[in-house]
Amino acid sequence: MMMRNAVRETVLYYTPQQSEKVVKLKGVLVRMGIRIKNIGPDQVTETVGSLLGIRDCGAEQEKAAELPVLEEEMLVMHKFSGRRLDELLHNLRKAGVPKIELKAVVTETNIDWTFSRLYEEIRKEHDEMSGKENADV
């Protein structure tokens, strides 16, 4: 399969700790020819577009005195067709990769958000969809 342009399917992957899961996940991505970029704790205030290398550091770039702490792993997918997204999720299940709760697709809206803002938004959506927002009340 030939790529039409220089921008490849890319996954931004953040995890607070390395595990066997990470090895399995990366194996699936490599077999599928998907570019992976590991996001470290010191990069969470950079914009999604900047981390992908396709946008200058956006206006939302945070100059935080203290870096936000992201406690859960997150997978952010860019340039995936619906079919390839389904294929990726299927291959992750088939390889026995435990479910990654926080997943997002890059959009025109969130590409200029910082990685930590995207994390917070996805975390909030996930909690609302799973009924956890009422658990704190």
Side-chain angles (χ1 to χ4, degrees), residues 56-110:
D56 289 335
C57 295
E60 194 173 307
Q61 189 83 12
E62 294 174 7
K63 298 294 182 222
E66 210 173 292
L67 288 171
V69 176
L70 311 186
E71 296 177 357
E72 294 178 66
E73 67 184 337
M74 185 166 79
L75 199 64
V76 179
M77 295 153 286
H78 180 62
K79 288 289 183 188
F80 280 76
S81 67
R83 183 187 64 77
R84 283 288 283 175
L85 189 55
D86 290 344
E87 189 180 333
L88 171 60
L89 297 175
H90 171 77
N91 287 339
L92 291 173
R93 278 191 304 276
K94 197 167 97 178
V97 177
K99 186 174 183 184
I100 298 169
E101 297 292 337
L102 305 183
K103 294 184 281 295
V105 173
V106 176
T107 66
E108 279 303 311
T109 301
N110 67 27

Side-chain angles (χ1 to χ4, degrees), residues 4 11 20 24 32-33 37 47 59 74 76-77 81-82 104 129:
R4 289 187 196 95
V11 164
E20 182 63 30
K24 287 181 181 179
M32 291 183 67
K37 176 156 187 194
T47 64
M74 185 166 79
V76 179
M77 295 153 286
S81 67
M129 291 173 61

Side-chain angles (χ1 to χ4, degrees), residues 13-56:
Y13 180 65
Y14 172 85
T15 185
Q17 61 205 29
Q18 295 297 316
S19 68
E20 182 63 30
K21 177 184 198 172
V22 177
V23 174
K24 287 181 181 179
L25 170 75
K26 289 182 179 180
V28 169
L29 296 173
V30 167
R31 284 191 298 279
M32 291 183 67
I34 298 167
R35 183 175 157 241
I36 183 168
K37 176 156 187 194
N38 296 305
I39 306 304
D42 59 330
Q43 296 173 295
V44 300
T45 58
E46 293 181 40
T47 64
V48 172
S50 172
L51 292 168
L52 288 166
I54 55 175
R55 296 249 173 123
D56 289 335

